[in-house]
Structure formats: C-alpha cells, structure tokens
Amino acid sequence: MMTYKAIETILNHRSIRKFKNQKLTVEQVETIIEAAQYASTSSYVMAYTIIGITDEKLKEELAAVSGQPYVKDNGHLFVFCGDLHRSEQLGTSEQQNAMQESLETSEQFIVATVDAALAAQNAATAAEDLGLGICFLGSLRNDINRVNELLQLPDKVIPLFGLAVGYPDHQPEQKPRLPLEVVYHQNFYQPFEKQLPLIQEFDENLKSYYAKRTSNKRVDTWTAQITRKFSNPIRLDVTPFLKMKNMNKK
Amino acid sequence: MMTYKAIETILNHRSIRKFKNQKLTVEQVETIIEAAQYASTSSYVMAYTIIGITDEKLKEELAAVSGQPYVKDNGHLFVFCGDLHRSEQLGTSEQQNAMQESLETSEQFIVATVDAALAAQNAATAAEDLGLGICFLGSLRNDINRVNELLQLPDKVIPLFGLAVGYPDHQPEQKPRLPLEVVYHQNFYQPFEKQLPLIQEFDENLKSYYAKRTSNKRVDTWTAQITRKFSNPIRLDVTPFLKMKNMNKK
C-alpha cells in the first residue's frame, strides 16, 4: 500500500512553543531554505528574503518585540520578508524610475506577501519532515518598525512574520480546524447563514476540547475568541510603515 | 536509511500547465482541502475560504479572465480567497460596529493573505504527494472585480489566486531558483551589491537553461525579465478593489 508521507506530515502539524536547547545544523537549515525556494513564485520574481537569526543579542531584541520566549529559545529563527528591493535594484536608474509606479501598488504587495508565505509553508513542512517542530510568529509585527531597524531592511523590504524551528520539548494536542464545509465552498461563496450551524457545532466541540486538554484548560468558543480579537484593534502602525517603505502605497 | 518524503515532494516541484482530461475524485479534493486546513493560521482566525469550481461555464469565464487554457482544462480548480467576512459576521451588530476599525487595517489584510497562502501551499504539496500536478494562478487578478462578481463574494472576501490541479500531461524541466545566498541572509539584510555577483552568475546559468530546454526556448536573463515586468504596471484596479471590499483600507 502506498503511503503519502508529505500529507501525513502536513496532517500531523501542531505549533511548538517550547524547544530543546539544541541548535539546527547548517545542513538542516540549508535543506529548509532549499525547500522554501522550490515553492511557486509569481512571474518568477521570488519576491522574498529570509533572514536567519543566529546572533543571541538580536534574538533577545526580537523576543522583546514578540513577547514570546520561544522567539529566543529555539533551534533556529527565520524571519520572512517581502522583498521588492532586489527587483528594483536590477534596473538602471532610468528603469528604476519607470518601475516605481508598479512596485508601489497593492498588487505587487500581494505578490511579495504571497511569495513569502508560500516559501514559508514549504520551510515549515520541510522542518516537520526532518522531525523538528515549528511556530509561525506574526507577533514580530507587534513593532514592525523596530524589526525593520534591527534587521537593517532597505526600502521595499518588509518583515512579514518569523518562523521558530527546533526540537520539540512538549507534545501539544492538535488544535481542531473549522469543518471542511465552512472553508470549502462549491462554485460560489456560501452565505454566512449556511455556515452558521456548522460553526455553532464547532464552538461546542471546541469548548469540550479546551475543557479536556492537558494544559491551558479554558472556557472559550471560537466565536468568542474571534469577536474579542477583532474588537481590539492592534498593529495600527503597519499601514503607515508599509507606505514609508514605498509598498502597498497606491 | 530514512527518506524525507515531504522534502522529496517539495524539491521535485514544477508548475504543470497541461493536464489530462481526468477529474479529481471527491476523496482527492477533500484530502487536498484537509491538508490546506492544517496549515498554521494567525490567532486561529482561519481567515480564508477556498472555492472549488466544477461548473464548466464558470471555469470558462475564469479562464477568460486569466487568458490561460489550463484554468479551464484541469482535474480541479480551486480559488483561494482572503476572508474577514466570516469573522465579522460572528459578532452581534454592536460588536460588528466595534470590529470595523480592526478589520479594515493593512494588518488584517496581511493576516488574511498569509493565512490563504499558507493553506494553498499545503494544498499544492498534498496534491503533488498524490501524484498530481499544480499551477498557481495569480492571473485571476487580471480582472479581480469580475472574479469577485462571478464567485459572488461578499464584503471583506477577496479572490487572491487560483490553483489548478490535475494529472500532468507534460513533464516540464524544473526551473532554476536564485542561489541560496541571494535569498537567505544572516542576521541582517545583505546589501544588493553583495547579492549582485551571484545574480549575474544566475543570469548566465539561466541563459543556458533557456537555450537548452526542450520547449519554449528563448534568449533571456532573470534581470531582463524582472525589469521588463516591473516597467509595465499591471492590475492597477486591485488597490481600489480592496478598498471597495473594506479591506486594506486604513
């Protein structure tokens, strides 16, 4: 019988937030980056740069931005950046002038963000295939200007998120996902009213999951979490930051 | 000896643009969606919806937007959408009012775009693990308003890209990637001047690749492609479209 090892790895995913004190080898890091590079890329632009953080002082500074200890304590820390600077710099100064209108659009901001995320998910899957654990770190956007400064990012390069990788030092339960029918629709968008009964069922299941799990027990539903989250605007400095970097500007 | 099957699948990726006339089974489609769902998601929001297109007329309309025959002729077509509508609708009308400020930010637009892309890359890897081929379709953004209308997307749901999946009917060579050192930097961003010699070497290698490959031979370099691409602004309607959908607005 054929087994689908990539799918097995993917379906076994859980975010790891406590790592053993063991660094990745250079070979492991390079395998992860190579996997990232083989993701699809829009029009062959490869509009991202990945920064590997090995300097301990720098990791501490980034952990301070995120407020999460596993940004410092892990086997390796990657920061995924959207990068239109490389493309811009390929041009002569005359070409560069002509390229600004395009580079500053929301369209090209989508290109850079999607390119970086596709690469990052390959990196995550490759790391898990190597027996390592991973955690995505959107928390680096808690102070995007500070991360930009720490990593010395030029114009048109923006830090999108981090990826902490390492040997897992806990085995968290897998977090349930929304029912397939809620996120997967046929031919056109299914009105929210049709999704609602399934979401209510999911809320009940999640309540049991939170009540039963071995650590971090809590009383909560998905609906309550999400409405709380969006009632509290965060990272309002991201918009002016992007414009300052001359991306997503017009 | 241990083999890393997920990594093997990832490193073997090539985009497939010609598919056999054979549809995916429901089981294959559901495996691909389940894999997508197990990607990491920012703050558990799962801010995406995937629309599976089975209606032939609708596929034709979408192929007309993209200008690519494989948008119509494939084993299955998925459209990945960023979705903040579901989150919004979870709230009471009072909560919904309070949530607008957050939902309209570039920060939450990044959340939706990254969530959708992480899910999509898992879908792509799962499909390839099943022996299928894939092609990402940014070309659906050629007329984003039309796709929005065809898929009946409500406020705060945006079509980001498609994913065509099917049984490969050609075996294209693998497209080279930039040298690892160009996209992977240590601790801080490496100035473009340091990347340049490696890019020039890559340009030479790519020139040979294009001259030698079995189909679509051409004379070109990466530098020439990228400067051409960005000298020609495209999809300028994406910015106003996003604002009209009340995303990436402030």
Side-chain angles (χ1 to χ4, degrees), chain A residues 208-242:
Chain A
S208 318
Y209 162 83
Y210 280 135
K212 278 185 209 150
R213 72 178 179 181
T214 48
S215 64
N216 291 324
K217 282 194 209 308
R218 61 200 253 195
V219 179
D220 213 348
T221 64
W222 188 67
T223 296
Q225 278 179 64
I226 300 302
T227 51
R228 271 202 314 275
K229 177 192 156 63
F230 286 109
S231 298
N232 173 29
I234 55 166
R235 304 175 187 162
L236 298 177
D237 54 344
V238 167
T239 303
F241 170 79
L242 297 173

Side-chain angles (χ1 to χ4, degrees), chain A residues 37 44 50 83 176-177 183 189, chain B residues 37 44 50 83 176-177 189:
Chain A
Q37 290 192 270
Y44 206 28
I50 308 165
D83 186 342
R177 294 301 194 248
V183 301
Y189 194 88
Chain B
Q37 290 193 271
Y44 206 26
I50 307 165
D83 186 343
R177 293 302 193 248
Y189 194 87

Side-chain angles (χ1 to χ4, degrees), chain A residues 4-7 10-11 13 15 29 31 33-35 37-40 43-46 49-55 58 76 78 83 85-87 89-91 95 99 101-103 105-111 113-114 117-118 121-122 125-126 129-130 136 141 151-152 154 157 161 174-178 180 182-189 192 195 199 202 206 210 222-223 225-227 229-231 233 235-236 238-239 242 248 250, chain B residues 4-7 10-11 13 15 29-31 33-35 37-40 43-46 49-55 58 76 78 83 85-87 89-91 95 99 101-103 105-111 113-114 117-118 121-122 125-126 129-130 136 141 151-152 154 157 161 174-178 180 182-189 192 195 199 202 206 210 222-223 225-227 229-231 233 235-236 238-239 242 248 250:
Chain A
Y4 297 109
K5 186 57 173 60
I7 292 171
I10 285 171
L11 295 183
H13 165 71
S15 292
V29 170
T31 299
I33 298 296
E34 211 190 336
Q37 290 192 270
Y38 272 97
S40 291
S43 304
Y44 206 28
V45 174
M46 303 179 261
T49 289
I50 308 165
I51 306 197
I53 316 294
T54 51
D55 183 276
L58 192 50
H76 204 81
F78 300 94
D83 186 342
H85 173 74
R86 181 180 302 120
S87 295
Q89 295 298 310
L90 293 171
Q95 284 173 319
M99 288 158 81
E101 186 182 355
S102 176
L103 291 165
T105 58
S106 294
E107 161 64 17
Q108 302 307 336
F109 174 63
I110 292 176
V111 164
T113 304
V114 171
L118 298 182
Q121 187 54 37
N122 263 5
T125 302
D129 200 34
L130 292 170
F136 275 90
R141 296 195 305 276
L151 305 185
Q152 305 175 27
V157 182
F161 49 80
Q174 205 173 23
K175 214 150 166 202
R177 294 301 194 248
L178 282 168
L180 187 139
V182 174
V183 301
Y184 183 59
H185 304 187
Q186 299 280 349
N187 292 313
F188 52 85
Y189 194 88
F192 178 76
Q195 303 176 37
I199 292 175
F202 179 67
L206 195 65
Y210 280 135
W222 188 67
T223 296
Q225 278 179 64
I226 300 302
T227 51
K229 177 192 156 63
F230 286 109
S231 298
R235 304 175 187 162
L236 298 177
V238 167
T239 303
L242 297 173
N248 195 35
K250 54 188 185 191
Chain B
Y4 298 110
K5 187 56 173 58
I7 293 172
I10 286 171
L11 295 184
H13 166 72
S15 292
V29 171
E30 291 191 350
T31 299
I33 298 297
E34 211 190 336
Q37 290 193 271
Y38 272 97
S40 292
S43 304
Y44 206 26
V45 175
M46 305 179 260
T49 289
I50 307 165
I51 305 194
I53 316 294
T54 50
D55 183 276
L58 193 49
H76 204 81
F78 301 94
D83 186 343
H85 173 73
R86 181 181 301 121
S87 295
Q89 295 299 310
L90 294 171
Q95 284 173 320
M99 287 159 81
E101 186 181 355
S102 176
L103 291 165
T105 59
S106 294
E107 162 63 16
Q108 302 307 337
F109 174 63
I110 293 176
V111 164
T113 305
V114 171
L118 298 181
Q121 187 54 37
N122 263 6
T125 301
D129 199 35
L130 292 170
F136 276 89
R141 297 195 305 277
L151 305 185
Q152 304 174 26
V157 181
F161 48 81
Q174 206 174 22
K175 212 149 168 204
R177 293 302 193 248
L178 282 168
L180 186 140
V182 174
V183 301
Y184 184 59
H185 304 187
Q186 299 281 348
N187 293 312
F188 53 86
Y189 194 87
F192 178 75
Q195 303 175 37
I199 293 174
F202 179 67
L206 195 65
Y210 279 134
W222 188 67
T223 297
Q225 278 179 65
I226 300 303
T227 51
K229 177 193 157 61
F230 286 108
S231 299
R235 304 175 187 164
L236 298 176
V238 168
T239 303
L242 297 173
N248 195 35
K250 54 188 184 190

